[in-house]
Amino acid sequence: QVHLVESGGGLVQAGGSLRLVCAASGNVASINAMAWYRQVPGKQRELVASVTNSGSTTYADSVKGRFTISRDYAKDAVHLQMNSLKPEDTAVYYCNVNSEYYRNFWGQGTQVTVSS
């Protein structure tokens, strides 16, 4: 099992920044990749950004150039630096890890609200 705890969500003005943190515990050695997803009512949960153990990153087109995902191996954590935030970024953000045997684990979600 991998347990994930998220922090850093909140309310911010358009154009502002937030930094989300997801700390992993448990069988962290089994983690192959970590990612951030987001979801709003009436829309499908979407991948925002991901990073593999090899350092390969993926970003949704809507956040490229504004968001940066990074791993902190010393703290078993993944960060999502969000800059130039837009109202369209308002969503519940979920931390996700890919583990052994194709298992995935999710955090509880953290609300990000961007005001115009």
XYZ file of all heavy atoms in Angstrom:
881
model
N 0.827 -1.194 0.000
C 0.000 0.000 0.000
C 0.867 1.252 0.000
O 1.947 1.266 0.592
C -0.924 0.038 1.231
C -2.077 -0.929 1.168
C -3.232 -0.360 0.357
O -3.215 0.804 -0.042
N -4.234 -1.197 0.113
N 0.369 2.269 -0.672
C 0.995 3.579 -0.663
C -0.052 4.575 -0.200
O -1.149 4.641 -0.762
C 1.533 3.974 -2.047
C 2.137 5.375 -1.987
C 2.569 2.970 -2.527
N 0.284 5.343 0.806
C -0.621 6.345 1.342
C -0.156 7.725 0.901
O 1.031 8.034 0.988
C -0.676 6.265 2.863
C -1.607 7.233 3.493
N -2.966 7.198 3.280
C -1.379 8.282 4.336
C -3.537 8.170 3.963
N -2.595 8.837 4.608
N -1.099 8.544 0.440
C -0.785 9.857 -0.086
C -1.501 10.939 0.700
O -2.699 10.825 0.977
C -1.195 9.956 -1.559
C -0.625 8.889 -2.494
C -1.237 9.012 -3.877
C 0.891 9.014 -2.578
N -0.776 11.982 1.039
C -1.343 13.121 1.752
C -1.027 14.385 0.969
O 0.140 14.696 0.727
C -0.792 13.228 3.183
C -1.371 14.461 3.874
C -1.119 11.979 3.981
N -2.067 15.112 0.581
C -1.923 16.312 -0.227
C -2.062 17.565 0.629
O -2.767 17.573 1.638
C -2.980 16.338 -1.332
C -2.871 15.176 -2.296
C -4.208 14.730 -2.825
O -5.117 14.486 -1.995
O -4.354 14.634 -4.059
N -1.423 18.620 0.179
C -1.536 19.912 0.826
C -1.223 21.003 -0.183
O -0.680 20.732 -1.256
C -0.599 20.017 2.037
O 0.756 19.895 1.638
N -1.561 22.232 0.158
C -1.215 23.366 -0.678
C -2.353 23.982 -1.456
O -2.177 25.040 -2.077
N -3.515 23.351 -1.455
C -4.650 23.918 -2.159
C -5.176 25.149 -1.449
O -4.827 25.431 -0.302
N -6.025 25.885 -2.145
C -6.597 27.078 -1.553
C -7.203 27.993 -2.582
O -7.458 27.602 -3.722
N -7.432 29.222 -2.164
C -8.027 30.252 -3.012
C -6.953 31.229 -3.463
O -6.164 31.715 -2.644
C -9.124 30.988 -2.244
C -9.785 32.175 -2.930
C -10.544 31.721 -4.168
C -10.707 32.885 -1.953
N -6.932 31.521 -4.752
C -5.937 32.430 -5.301
C -6.565 33.240 -6.432
O -7.502 32.784 -7.092
C -4.702 31.644 -5.808
C -5.068 30.766 -6.999
C -3.561 32.584 -6.158
N -6.060 34.438 -6.650
C -6.532 35.275 -7.741
C -5.959 34.805 -9.076
O -4.887 34.208 -9.135
C -6.119 36.731 -7.524
C -6.828 37.435 -6.394
C -6.391 38.878 -6.276
O -5.679 39.253 -5.354
N -6.818 39.701 -7.229
N -6.695 35.082 -10.146
C -6.186 34.781 -11.474
C -4.833 35.447 -11.680
O -4.634 36.605 -11.305
C -7.174 35.253 -12.536
N -3.917 34.694 -12.259
C -2.564 35.176 -12.454
C -1.625 34.831 -11.321
O -0.403 34.999 -11.452
N -2.177 34.346 -10.226
C -1.371 33.989 -9.077
C -0.799 32.592 -9.176
O -0.928 31.915 -10.196
N -0.188 32.152 -8.077
C 0.487 30.863 -8.047
C 0.131 30.076 -6.799
O -0.192 30.639 -5.750
C 2.010 31.050 -8.086
O 2.430 31.706 -9.264
N 0.188 28.769 -6.926
C 0.051 27.852 -5.813
C 1.035 26.707 -6.013
O 1.394 26.385 -7.153
C -1.361 27.281 -5.710
C -2.473 28.159 -5.144
C -3.809 27.440 -5.280
C -2.199 28.506 -3.689
N 1.431 26.103 -4.918
C 2.311 24.948 -4.974
C 1.665 23.806 -4.196
O 1.494 23.899 -2.981
C 3.680 25.271 -4.390
C 4.709 24.150 -4.535
C 6.077 24.621 -4.070
N 7.096 23.588 -4.149
C 7.792 23.294 -5.241
N 7.571 23.955 -6.370
N 8.718 22.342 -5.211
N 1.305 22.751 -4.904
C 0.721 21.582 -4.286
C 1.813 20.588 -3.915
O 2.791 20.429 -4.640
C -0.280 20.904 -5.224
C -1.427 21.763 -5.763
C -2.369 20.905 -6.590
C -2.171 22.452 -4.632
N 1.623 19.922 -2.785
C 2.575 18.936 -2.316
C 1.835 17.644 -2.016
O 0.779 17.660 -1.385
C 3.316 19.415 -1.056
C 4.310 18.352 -0.595
C 4.032 20.728 -1.318
N 2.388 16.544 -2.463
C 1.847 15.227 -2.174
C 2.959 14.392 -1.553
O 3.970 14.123 -2.205
C 1.324 14.563 -3.442
S 0.787 12.852 -3.220
N 2.763 13.997 -0.315
C 3.743 13.185 0.395
C 3.296 11.733 0.434
O 2.162 11.443 0.819
C 3.940 13.716 1.810
N 4.173 10.832 0.054
C 3.871 9.415 0.017
C 4.501 8.690 1.192
O 5.584 9.048 1.660
C 4.363 8.794 -1.293
N 3.811 7.664 1.658
C 4.337 6.818 2.717
C 3.896 5.385 2.461
O 3.046 5.124 1.617
C 3.872 7.292 4.093
O 2.461 7.248 4.200
N 4.480 4.465 3.192
C 4.200 3.059 2.972
C 5.267 2.453 2.092
O 6.458 2.693 2.287
N 4.843 1.683 1.106
C 5.773 1.005 0.209
C 6.202 1.941 -0.920
O 5.866 1.744 -2.091
C 5.143 -0.260 -0.352
C 6.145 -1.119 -1.102
O 7.355 -0.913 -1.015
N 5.636 -2.092 -1.854
N 6.963 2.949 -0.561
C 7.373 3.949 -1.547
C 8.336 3.376 -2.580
O 8.449 3.919 -3.684
C 8.002 5.177 -0.863
C 6.969 5.889 -0.002
C 9.212 4.772 -0.027
N 9.003 2.286 -2.257
C 9.918 1.665 -3.208
C 9.194 1.075 -4.409
O 9.808 0.831 -5.447
C 10.745 0.586 -2.519
N 7.889 0.861 -4.274
C 7.107 0.278 -5.353
C 6.620 1.312 -6.366
O 6.027 0.942 -7.378
C 5.893 -0.457 -4.782
O 4.951 0.450 -4.233
N 6.845 2.579 -6.108
C 6.322 3.638 -6.958
C 7.098 3.721 -8.270
O 8.317 3.832 -8.273
C 6.371 4.996 -6.238
C 5.468 4.967 -5.007
C 5.950 6.121 -7.188
C 5.560 6.214 -4.153
N 6.363 3.687 -9.368
C 6.945 3.834 -10.699
C 6.786 5.245 -11.251
O 7.627 5.711 -12.020
C 6.302 2.854 -11.680
C 6.579 1.422 -11.325
O 7.709 1.050 -11.018
N 5.534 0.595 -11.364
N 5.698 5.887 -10.876
C 5.432 7.226 -11.365
C 4.472 7.924 -10.420
O 3.720 7.275 -9.686
C 4.838 7.180 -12.775
N 4.494 9.239 -10.447
C 3.574 10.030 -9.656
C 2.934 11.064 -10.571
O 3.538 11.493 -11.555
C 4.285 10.712 -8.487
C 4.979 9.729 -7.558
S 5.670 10.483 -6.057
C 4.173 10.807 -5.125
N 1.715 11.457 -10.237
C 0.974 12.343 -11.117
C -0.038 13.174 -10.350
O -0.385 12.873 -9.205
C 0.258 11.535 -12.206
N -0.500 14.222 -11.009
C -1.596 15.037 -10.523
C -2.733 14.997 -11.532
O -2.509 15.157 -12.740
C -1.166 16.490 -10.308
C -0.271 16.685 -9.132
C 1.087 16.710 -9.119
C -0.683 16.890 -7.777
N 1.554 16.918 -7.849
C 0.483 17.031 -7.001
C -1.936 16.968 -7.148
C 0.444 17.249 -5.618
C -1.973 17.177 -5.776
C -0.789 17.315 -5.034
N -3.930 14.772 -11.040
C -5.152 14.828 -11.828
C -6.049 15.915 -11.255
O -5.863 16.356 -10.120
C -5.905 13.500 -11.783
C -5.281 12.376 -12.578
C -4.125 11.737 -12.143
C -5.871 11.930 -13.762
C -3.562 10.694 -12.863
C -5.324 10.888 -14.490
C -4.170 10.274 -14.031
O -3.623 9.229 -14.751
N -7.040 16.325 -12.034
C -8.023 17.266 -11.515
C -9.398 16.938 -12.084
O -9.525 16.345 -13.143
C -7.649 18.713 -11.835
C -7.673 19.074 -13.311
C -7.150 20.488 -13.511
N -7.185 20.900 -14.905
C -6.657 22.023 -15.369
N -6.046 22.861 -14.542
N -6.745 22.320 -16.670
N -10.417 17.361 -11.354
C -11.781 17.081 -11.764
C -12.714 18.180 -11.285
O -12.601 18.661 -10.161
C -12.249 15.731 -11.216
C -13.597 15.281 -11.733
C -13.900 13.845 -11.358
O -13.422 13.346 -10.342
N -14.681 13.167 -12.176
N -13.638 18.566 -12.154
C -14.682 19.518 -11.803
C -16.020 18.855 -12.071
O -16.117 17.928 -12.884
C -14.563 20.827 -12.606
C -13.237 21.513 -12.319
C -14.697 20.564 -14.101
N -17.092 19.310 -11.410
C -18.407 18.719 -11.649
C -18.798 18.775 -13.115
O -18.630 19.810 -13.772
C -19.336 19.573 -10.785
C -18.465 20.068 -9.688
C -17.137 20.332 -10.342
N -19.305 17.657 -13.623
C -19.745 17.600 -15.000
C -18.657 17.321 -16.011
O -18.934 17.263 -17.214
N -17.418 17.164 -15.543
C -16.319 16.894 -16.447
C -15.551 15.655 -16.004
O -15.556 15.283 -14.835
C -15.365 18.084 -16.521
C -15.955 19.326 -17.165
C -14.896 20.408 -17.327
C -15.465 21.632 -18.010
N -14.432 22.693 -18.182
N -14.913 15.032 -16.959
C -14.114 13.853 -16.701
C -12.824 14.225 -15.973
O -12.232 15.268 -16.234
C -13.803 13.159 -18.028
C -13.028 11.866 -17.922
C -12.889 11.191 -19.270
O -13.885 10.765 -19.859
N -11.658 11.085 -19.757
N -12.409 13.361 -15.052
C -11.135 13.579 -14.387
C -10.022 13.524 -15.432
O -9.984 12.612 -16.257
C -10.907 12.523 -13.303
C -9.632 12.738 -12.510
C -9.491 11.748 -11.360
N -10.551 11.905 -10.370
C -10.587 11.263 -9.210
N -9.613 10.422 -8.883
N -11.595 11.462 -8.378
N -9.134 14.490 -15.394
C -8.098 14.580 -16.401
C -6.708 14.606 -15.791
O -6.504 15.109 -14.686
C -8.296 15.831 -17.266
C -8.129 17.139 -16.519
C -8.174 18.358 -17.424
O -8.141 18.193 -18.659
O -8.248 19.486 -16.889
N -5.776 14.067 -16.539
C -4.375 14.105 -16.140
C -3.842 15.514 -16.341
O -3.959 16.085 -17.421
C -3.562 13.111 -16.965
C -2.045 13.130 -16.745
C -1.699 12.678 -15.337
C -1.341 12.263 -17.777
N -3.241 16.059 -15.305
C -2.635 17.378 -15.375
C -1.150 17.268 -15.691
O -0.640 17.931 -16.593
C -2.838 18.156 -14.061
C -2.140 19.510 -14.123
C -4.319 18.336 -13.773
N -0.457 16.436 -14.935
C 0.975 16.258 -15.124
C 1.419 14.964 -14.474
O 0.823 14.510 -13.498
C 1.761 17.436 -14.541
N 2.459 14.367 -15.004
C 3.005 13.149 -14.438
C 4.514 13.143 -14.583
O 5.072 13.813 -15.443
C 2.410 11.907 -15.117
O 2.806 11.828 -16.471
N 5.157 12.362 -13.739
C 6.604 12.202 -13.799
C 6.951 10.770 -13.429
O 6.450 10.233 -12.438
C 7.330 13.221 -12.884
C 6.878 13.096 -11.433
C 8.836 13.053 -12.994
N 7.784 10.139 -14.239
C 8.206 8.772 -13.992
C 9.480 8.758 -13.161
O 10.112 9.791 -12.927
C 8.453 8.020 -15.301
O 9.599 8.588 -15.963
C 7.250 8.115 -16.227
N 9.873 7.551 -12.732
C 11.110 7.419 -11.967
C 12.335 7.802 -12.785
O 13.367 8.179 -12.223
C 11.268 5.993 -11.451
C 10.311 5.659 -10.328
O 9.562 6.514 -9.850
N 10.331 4.404 -9.892
N 12.223 7.696 -14.104
C 13.326 8.072 -14.974
C 13.392 9.572 -15.223
O 14.330 10.056 -15.858
C 13.233 7.338 -16.308
O 12.075 7.731 -17.019
N 12.388 10.302 -14.752
C 12.379 11.739 -14.913
C 11.575 12.254 -16.083
O 11.523 13.467 -16.312
N 10.942 11.369 -16.823
C 10.124 11.777 -17.960
C 8.836 12.424 -17.469
O 8.170 11.894 -16.588
C 9.804 10.573 -18.837
O 8.987 10.946 -19.926
N 8.488 13.567 -18.038
C 7.299 14.300 -17.617
C 6.291 14.415 -18.743
O 6.641 14.413 -19.926
C 7.653 15.708 -17.122
O 8.328 16.428 -18.159
C 8.558 15.637 -15.904
N 5.036 14.521 -18.357
C 3.937 14.716 -19.279
C 3.033 15.801 -18.723
O 2.776 15.837 -17.522
C 3.137 13.421 -19.477
O 3.984 12.407 -20.021
C 1.961 13.651 -20.423
N 2.530 16.675 -19.599
C 1.643 17.744 -19.196
C 0.435 17.806 -20.109
O 0.539 17.571 -21.311
C 2.342 19.100 -19.233
C 3.462 19.256 -18.239
C 4.774 18.991 -18.591
C 3.200 19.672 -16.941
C 5.803 19.130 -17.676
C 4.221 19.818 -16.022
C 5.524 19.543 -16.399
O 6.536 19.693 -15.482
N -0.703 18.143 -19.535
C -1.864 18.444 -20.346
C -1.595 19.710 -21.149
O -0.911 20.625 -20.670
C -3.093 18.635 -19.468
N -2.129 19.765 -22.355
C -1.903 20.936 -23.203
C -2.346 22.227 -22.523
O -1.733 23.280 -22.715
C -2.641 20.777 -24.529
C -2.013 19.737 -25.433
O -0.832 19.387 -25.218
O -2.695 19.275 -26.365
N -3.385 22.145 -21.735
C -3.944 23.331 -21.109
C -3.044 23.945 -20.037
O -3.247 25.100 -19.651
C -5.309 23.014 -20.498
O -5.197 21.996 -19.520
N -2.059 23.189 -19.554
C -1.203 23.696 -18.482
C 0.256 23.821 -18.890
O 1.074 24.298 -18.090
C -1.307 22.826 -17.215
C -2.759 22.676 -16.790
C -0.655 21.468 -17.428
N 0.602 23.423 -20.092
C 1.984 23.502 -20.543
C 2.485 24.938 -20.479
O 1.818 25.866 -20.912
C 2.114 22.969 -21.968
C 2.016 21.466 -22.081
C 2.180 21.003 -23.518
C 2.106 19.492 -23.617
N 2.204 19.027 -25.016
N 3.668 25.085 -19.936
C 4.263 26.403 -19.801
C 3.873 27.123 -18.538
O 4.480 28.150 -18.201
N 2.861 26.611 -17.829
C 2.404 27.254 -16.604
C 2.637 26.396 -15.368
O 2.913 26.921 -14.291
C 0.915 27.590 -16.697
C 0.568 28.547 -17.831
C -0.885 29.001 -17.754
N -1.815 27.888 -17.898
C -2.705 27.525 -16.970
N -2.789 28.191 -15.831
N -3.523 26.502 -17.201
N 2.495 25.084 -15.516
C 2.650 24.157 -14.390
C 3.948 23.377 -14.530
O 4.393 23.077 -15.646
C 1.499 23.155 -14.341
C 0.153 23.737 -13.980
C -0.055 25.100 -13.904
C -0.911 22.889 -13.722
C -1.298 25.628 -13.584
C -2.159 23.397 -13.393
C -2.356 24.761 -13.326
N 4.528 23.012 -13.399
C 5.731 22.195 -13.379
C 5.596 21.118 -12.314
O 5.296 21.423 -11.161
C 6.984 23.033 -13.096
O 7.116 24.070 -14.072
C 8.231 22.146 -13.145
N 5.819 19.874 -12.710
C 5.784 18.766 -11.768
C 7.218 18.356 -11.443
O 8.089 18.364 -12.317
C 4.982 17.573 -12.318
C 4.773 16.507 -11.234
C 5.650 16.975 -13.552
C 3.787 15.414 -11.628
N 7.467 18.006 -10.202
C 8.806 17.610 -9.793
C 8.737 16.609 -8.648
O 7.796 16.617 -7.856
C 9.641 18.826 -9.383
O 9.051 19.508 -8.293
N 9.739 15.753 -8.577
C 9.854 14.766 -7.513
C 10.884 15.213 -6.496
O 11.918 15.793 -6.838
C 10.275 13.402 -8.079
C 9.232 12.665 -8.891
C 8.203 11.984 -7.990
N 8.784 10.968 -7.127
C 9.006 9.699 -7.473
N 8.682 9.286 -8.698
N 9.530 8.844 -6.604
N 10.596 14.932 -5.242
C 11.538 15.129 -4.164
C 11.750 13.762 -3.531
O 10.996 13.357 -2.641
C 11.013 16.142 -3.146
C 12.029 16.484 -2.082
O 12.995 15.717 -1.898
O 11.873 17.530 -1.427
N 12.762 13.056 -3.996
C 12.981 11.698 -3.530
C 13.365 11.638 -2.061
O 13.047 10.668 -1.370
C 14.048 11.010 -4.384
C 13.561 10.630 -5.752
C 13.808 11.449 -6.858
C 12.854 9.455 -5.957
C 13.355 11.100 -8.115
C 12.397 9.100 -7.212
C 12.649 9.924 -8.286
O 12.194 9.572 -9.535
N 14.036 12.658 -1.577
C 14.436 12.687 -0.178
C 13.229 12.714 0.750
O 13.284 12.204 1.871
C 15.338 13.882 0.093
N 12.148 13.319 0.292
C 10.941 13.428 1.101
C 9.806 12.542 0.610
O 8.692 12.626 1.130
C 10.476 14.885 1.137
C 11.457 15.841 1.786
C 10.914 17.253 1.823
C 11.876 18.197 2.509
N 11.356 19.585 2.547
N 10.082 11.704 -0.389
C 9.051 10.838 -0.969
C 7.823 11.651 -1.362
O 6.681 11.293 -1.044
C 8.657 9.732 0.014
C 9.808 8.799 0.322
O 10.591 8.481 -0.599
O 9.933 8.380 1.491
N 8.072 12.739 -2.067
C 6.996 13.657 -2.398
C 7.030 14.056 -3.871
O 8.043 13.909 -4.557
C 7.085 14.908 -1.531
N 5.908 14.567 -4.325
C 5.809 15.149 -5.656
C 5.151 16.509 -5.507
O 4.214 16.674 -4.726
C 5.015 14.245 -6.632
C 3.580 14.041 -6.160
C 5.051 14.831 -8.037
N 5.675 17.485 -6.231
C 5.159 18.845 -6.175
C 4.535 19.232 -7.498
O 4.913 18.734 -8.557
C 6.285 19.829 -5.864
C 6.965 19.587 -4.551
N 8.163 20.171 -4.234
C 6.617 18.834 -3.484
C 8.528 19.789 -3.018
N 7.604 18.978 -2.550
N 3.585 20.125 -7.437
C 3.022 20.728 -8.632
C 3.037 22.235 -8.439
O 2.244 22.773 -7.664
C 1.594 20.244 -8.900
C 0.974 20.757 -10.202
C 1.696 20.165 -11.414
C -0.518 20.432 -10.264
N 3.963 22.893 -9.113
C 4.035 24.340 -9.085
C 3.109 24.885 -10.152
O 3.278 24.594 -11.338
C 5.468 24.820 -9.331
C 5.636 26.329 -9.346
C 5.357 26.957 -8.005
O 5.803 26.473 -6.981
N 4.585 28.045 -8.015
N 2.128 25.669 -9.746
C 1.123 26.198 -10.655
C 1.262 27.712 -10.718
O 1.025 28.400 -9.722
C -0.282 25.802 -10.202
C -0.463 24.296 -10.022
S -2.174 23.830 -9.647
C -2.359 24.609 -8.041
N 1.632 28.213 -11.879
C 1.791 29.643 -12.102
C 0.771 30.140 -13.115
O 0.193 29.363 -13.864
C 3.206 29.953 -12.595
C 4.283 29.579 -11.612
O 4.099 29.671 -10.404
N 5.437 29.159 -12.136
N 0.577 31.443 -13.145
C -0.355 32.068 -14.086
C -1.708 31.376 -14.069
O -2.275 31.048 -15.115
C 0.242 32.051 -15.498
O 1.476 32.733 -15.547
N -2.223 31.163 -12.891
C -3.469 30.418 -12.738
C -4.647 31.149 -13.368
O -4.726 32.382 -13.341
C -3.743 30.154 -11.264
C -2.902 29.021 -10.662
C -2.900 29.105 -9.145
C -3.442 27.672 -11.120
N -5.540 30.357 -13.929
C -6.736 30.853 -14.585
C -7.970 30.306 -13.876
O -7.907 29.256 -13.244
C -6.767 30.410 -16.050
C -5.551 30.798 -16.864
C -5.627 30.187 -18.255
C -4.412 30.552 -19.084
N -4.479 29.948 -20.441
N -9.111 30.987 -13.987
C -10.335 30.446 -13.400
C -10.650 29.037 -13.881
O -11.219 28.246 -13.129
C -11.406 31.447 -13.847
C -10.669 32.734 -13.980
C -9.324 32.347 -14.532
N -10.269 28.720 -15.108
C -10.500 27.390 -15.654
C -9.704 26.307 -14.937
O -9.977 25.115 -15.114
C -10.154 27.348 -17.153
C -10.853 28.410 -17.980
C -10.016 29.654 -18.136
O -10.096 30.531 -17.247
O -9.285 29.758 -19.139
N -8.716 26.694 -14.151
C -7.930 25.735 -13.386
C -8.629 25.310 -12.096
O -8.150 24.402 -11.411
C -6.557 26.309 -13.040
C -5.701 26.575 -14.265
O -5.685 25.720 -15.178
O -5.046 27.629 -14.304
N -9.720 25.961 -11.764
C -10.464 25.617 -10.559
C -10.946 24.176 -10.634
O -11.612 23.782 -11.593
C -11.659 26.558 -10.375
O -11.189 27.890 -10.164
C -12.503 26.137 -9.180
N -10.599 23.389 -9.631
C -10.940 21.974 -9.620
C -10.467 21.356 -8.313
O -9.756 21.986 -7.532
C -10.283 21.247 -10.801
N -10.869 20.118 -8.104
C -10.278 19.312 -7.050
C -9.085 18.593 -7.662
O -9.221 17.905 -8.670
C -11.267 18.292 -6.460
C -10.578 17.422 -5.417
C -12.459 19.015 -5.841
N -7.933 18.762 -7.061
C -6.715 18.156 -7.566
C -6.373 16.917 -6.740
O -6.371 16.959 -5.510
C -5.558 19.156 -7.510
C -5.628 20.190 -8.607
C -6.612 21.174 -8.588
C -4.723 20.176 -9.666
C -6.698 22.111 -9.610
C -4.797 21.106 -10.685
C -5.781 22.074 -10.655
O -5.857 23.008 -11.667
N -6.079 15.826 -7.438
C -5.789 14.551 -6.802
C -4.376 14.086 -7.121
O -3.959 14.110 -8.276
C -6.762 13.467 -7.281
C -8.209 13.716 -6.938
C -9.042 14.402 -7.806
C -8.741 13.244 -5.748
C -10.373 14.619 -7.497
C -10.067 13.455 -5.428
C -10.881 14.146 -6.304
O -12.202 14.354 -6.000
N -3.683 13.648 -6.109
C -2.382 13.019 -6.292
C -2.584 11.548 -6.617
O -3.485 10.900 -6.076
C -1.552 13.176 -5.024
S 0.129 12.516 -5.143
N -1.768 11.031 -7.499
C -1.858 9.641 -7.920
C -0.462 9.054 -8.047
O 0.467 9.725 -8.493
C -2.587 9.547 -9.265
C -2.486 8.168 -9.900
O -1.587 7.905 -10.697
N -3.411 7.297 -9.547
N -0.323 7.789 -7.650
C 0.938 7.072 -7.860
C 0.656 5.773 -8.575
O -0.352 5.111 -8.338
C 1.707 6.800 -6.554
C 2.011 8.093 -5.820
C 0.956 5.830 -5.659
N 1.560 5.427 -9.475
C 1.537 4.134 -10.136
C 2.530 3.239 -9.427
O 3.698 3.602 -9.262
C 1.884 4.281 -11.613
C 2.011 2.954 -12.317
O 3.088 2.559 -12.731
N 0.883 2.264 -12.456
N 2.057 2.061 -9.009
C 2.877 1.146 -8.235
C 3.018 -0.189 -8.954
O 2.622 -0.347 -10.112
C 2.257 0.965 -6.847
O 3.090 0.179 -6.016
N 3.571 -1.140 -8.261
C 3.779 -2.457 -8.843
C 2.451 -3.156 -9.124
O 1.423 -2.846 -8.517
C 4.623 -3.307 -7.895
C 4.012 -3.506 -6.525
C 4.947 -4.196 -5.558
O 6.062 -4.568 -5.960
O 4.564 -4.372 -4.383
N 2.498 -4.084 -10.074
C 1.317 -4.849 -10.482
C 0.196 -3.942 -11.002
O -0.980 -4.241 -10.847
C 0.805 -5.715 -9.336
C 1.861 -6.609 -8.734
C 2.250 -6.471 -7.401
C 2.486 -7.586 -9.500
C 3.235 -7.282 -6.860
C 3.469 -8.397 -8.967
C 3.840 -8.242 -7.650
O 4.817 -9.054 -7.113
N 0.583 -2.860 -11.630
C -0.350 -1.918 -12.239
C -1.324 -1.316 -11.227
O -2.421 -0.883 -11.583
C -1.117 -2.588 -13.370
C -0.226 -3.091 -14.484
C 0.118 -4.430 -14.563
C 0.258 -2.217 -15.451
C 0.949 -4.887 -15.583
C 1.079 -2.670 -16.469
C 1.422 -4.010 -16.524
O 2.233 -4.467 -17.542
N -0.945 -1.272 -9.988
C -1.793 -0.675 -8.970
C -1.638 0.840 -8.940
O -0.557 1.375 -9.174
C -1.459 -1.245 -7.594
C -1.815 -2.715 -7.438
C -1.558 -3.184 -6.029
N -1.951 -4.566 -5.821
C -1.872 -5.204 -4.669
N -1.405 -4.563 -3.592
N -2.252 -6.465 -4.578
N -2.726 1.500 -8.661
C -2.738 2.940 -8.515
C -3.335 3.324 -7.167
O -4.278 2.689 -6.693
C -3.546 3.600 -9.628
C -2.793 3.643 -10.932
O -2.017 4.570 -11.179
N -3.009 2.643 -11.778
N -2.784 4.355 -6.578
C -3.277 4.859 -5.303
C -3.548 6.347 -5.430
O -2.847 7.064 -6.144
C -2.266 4.592 -4.181
C -1.980 3.139 -3.972
C -0.933 2.524 -4.627
C -2.773 2.380 -3.129
C -0.670 1.171 -4.444
C -2.525 1.025 -2.940
C -1.471 0.427 -3.599
N -4.573 6.804 -4.717
C -5.030 8.174 -4.824
C -5.014 8.885 -3.486
O -5.245 8.284 -2.437
C -6.458 8.216 -5.371
C -6.586 7.695 -6.763
C -6.818 6.406 -7.145
C -6.492 8.460 -7.964
N -6.872 6.322 -8.518
C -6.679 7.564 -9.041
C -6.279 9.807 -8.229
C -6.654 7.987 -10.366
C -6.250 10.228 -9.547
C -6.440 9.317 -10.602
N -4.753 10.170 -3.547
C -4.896 11.014 -2.382
C -6.346 11.402 -2.190
O -7.228 11.035 -2.975
N -6.613 12.158 -1.147
C -7.986 12.533 -0.820
C -8.505 13.693 -1.660
O -9.707 13.944 -1.687
C -8.079 12.896 0.669
C -7.589 14.296 1.037
C -6.078 14.441 1.024
O -5.336 13.476 0.850
N -5.608 15.671 1.221
N -7.631 14.390 -2.335
C -8.003 15.537 -3.135
C -7.880 16.834 -2.363
O -8.114 16.882 -1.157
N -7.499 17.885 -3.057
C -7.407 19.205 -2.453
C -8.011 20.231 -3.406
O -7.772 20.195 -4.610
C -5.946 19.558 -2.106
O -5.894 20.816 -1.430
C -5.072 19.633 -3.352
N -8.816 21.123 -2.863
C -9.536 22.095 -3.676
C -8.634 23.259 -4.055
O -7.969 23.853 -3.206
C -10.761 22.621 -2.920
C -11.557 23.687 -3.669
C -12.290 23.139 -4.867
O -12.937 22.090 -4.778
N -12.196 23.831 -6.000
N -8.648 23.588 -5.339
C -7.980 24.779 -5.849
C -9.041 25.660 -6.488
O -9.750 25.224 -7.393
C -6.890 24.432 -6.879
C -6.360 25.698 -7.555
C -5.759 23.667 -6.219
N -9.153 26.883 -6.013
C -10.131 27.822 -6.542
C -9.415 29.080 -7.009
O -8.684 29.703 -6.239
C -11.181 28.191 -5.484
O -11.837 27.004 -5.024
C -12.220 29.139 -6.069
N -9.636 29.440 -8.264
C -9.007 30.615 -8.854
C -10.092 31.634 -9.163
O -10.996 31.366 -9.958
C -8.232 30.263 -10.129
C -7.511 31.498 -10.661
C -7.242 29.140 -9.853
N -10.008 32.788 -8.558
C -11.002 33.830 -8.752
C -10.572 34.787 -9.855
O -9.376 35.052 -10.038
C -11.234 34.603 -7.456
O -10.047 35.250 -7.027
N -11.536 35.323 -10.576
C -11.255 36.240 -11.669
C -11.221 37.684 -11.194
O -11.590 37.992 -10.059
C -12.288 36.084 -12.779
O -13.588 36.359 -12.296
